[in-house]
Amino acid sequence: MNLADYDVLSFDCYGTLIDWETGILDVLGPWAEQVGAGLSGDELLAAYAVNEARVQQDSPTMLYPEILAEAFRRTGDTLKVTVSRDWASRLGASVPDWPAFPDSAEALASLAENYKLVVLSNVHRDGFAGSNRRLGVQFDAIVTAQDVGAYKPTDNHFDALDSVLAKLGVPRSRLLHVAQSLFHDHVPATRHGIASAWIDRRHDRPGWGATPEPTEKYSVDMKFPSMAAFATAAGAALSGE
């Protein structure tokens, strides 16, 4: 594949552009220390990931702060430790505090010079607005879980892309989906026949982090360790190098 063959890049946000694992652990870590859970960061993320995916499946129209709080409570149940209302609320309100990856803003600014940029996010509108202030780019379209009434990996976000592409006047063949999560993004992108690039943020760490291991078929067309590497490759392709 040639990155010069695309006009629109759709992005997952959390895990790809925003460092949600650090944001989640900024709450789960102190909680685990307080209750004496004795788990590593990766162990906490693995326990949390399964519960968040289940809550999203069980309650697809629930706003993301409530998803976070309920997933935290269920994670406590899994670990046989009660999560107080205060702790659950703290995680639910934390999305705007989650940091951007150091390379995200610069990479997006570079890509915006040549591509239309779209976000497909598993959060609510207010949460993404807070995160977007850290990214510093104006996206051409934003599709949140609140907008489509469901959470990835269901098809709703990707179905909504059809109307986005129609408004942009771009055929689906000129769309590339860019994401970290195989479970949330590359599985549904594969179902929809959309080319995709994997930003493997965990390339130097074992395990799946805050995302469940994918259990359905997926494929990726290109793989990069960071947004910086992806933006560099796009620039080279567009300049004919």
Side-chain angles (χ1 to χ4, degrees):
M1 70 182 282
N2 186 340
L3 288 172
D5 292 338
Y6 300 95
D7 299 313
V8 177
L9 305 176
S10 57
F11 289 92
D12 164 59
C13 182
Y14 297 90
T16 305
L17 306 175
I18 295 291
D19 186 357
W20 74 322
E21 292 187 350
T22 291
I24 291 170
L25 284 177
D26 280 346
V27 179
L28 265 62
W31 167 81
E33 184 175 353
Q34 182 184 93
V35 301
L39 298 174
S40 69
D42 278 346
E43 288 170 331
L44 285 169
L45 289 174
Y48 175 81
V50 174
N51 285 291
E52 184 183 277
R54 286 174 179 166
V55 176
Q56 290 172 338
Q57 183 178 25
D58 293 346
S59 304
T61 61
M62 182 182 287
L63 292 181
Y64 194 55
E66 298 165 8
I67 294 283
L68 288 167
E70 177 60 19
F72 194 179
R73 285 189 287 266
R74 292 194 191 185
T75 300
D77 292 342
T78 299
L79 301 175
K80 302 187 186 310
V81 183
T82 299
V83 175
S84 70
R85 180 179 298 180
D86 177 66
W87 276 111
S89 298
R90 194 178 305 183
L91 183 63
S94 68
V95 174
D97 298 327
W98 295 355
F101 286 104
D103 62 350
S104 292
E106 184 176 352
L108 288 170
S110 172
L111 294 166
E113 295 177 4
N114 296 289
Y115 300 95
K116 299 291 187 182
L117 306 184
V118 177
V119 161
L120 303 185
S121 176
N122 255 8
V123 303
H124 58 312
R125 298 180 200 118
D126 287 346
F128 178 75
S131 296
N132 199 22
R133 288 191 284 271
R134 300 177 182 275
L135 299 175
V137 68
Q138 182 173 340
F139 289 91
D140 295 279
I142 298 166
V143 181
T144 70
Q146 185 177 2
D147 297 319
V148 300
Y151 289 87
K152 297 178 291 184
T154 59
D155 291 322
N156 300 45
H157 286 79
F158 291 87
D159 289 339
L161 269 176
D162 288 330
S163 61
V164 170
L165 292 172
K167 290 177 181 178
L168 295 175
V170 177
R172 182 175 282 201
S173 61
R174 302 288 295 184
L175 166 71
L176 178 69
H177 189 56
V178 184
Q180 183 273 333
S181 176
L182 299 176
F183 174 85
H184 293 102
D185 287 271
H186 293 284
V187 165
T190 299
R191 283 200 302 264
H192 285 256
I194 297 172
S196 67
W198 182 18
I199 308 301
D200 185 12
R201 291 287 191 182
R202 292 185 60 88
H203 65 277
D204 56 353
R205 290 173 289 167
W208 296 96
T211 64
E213 181 177 357
T215 58
E216 299 180 51
K217 178 183 176 181
Y218 68 87
S219 63
V220 297
D221 296 281
M222 300 186 81
K223 177 180 175 180
F224 302 91
S226 65
M227 279 293 298
F230 174 72
T232 297
L238 290 162
S239 64
E241 296 180 11

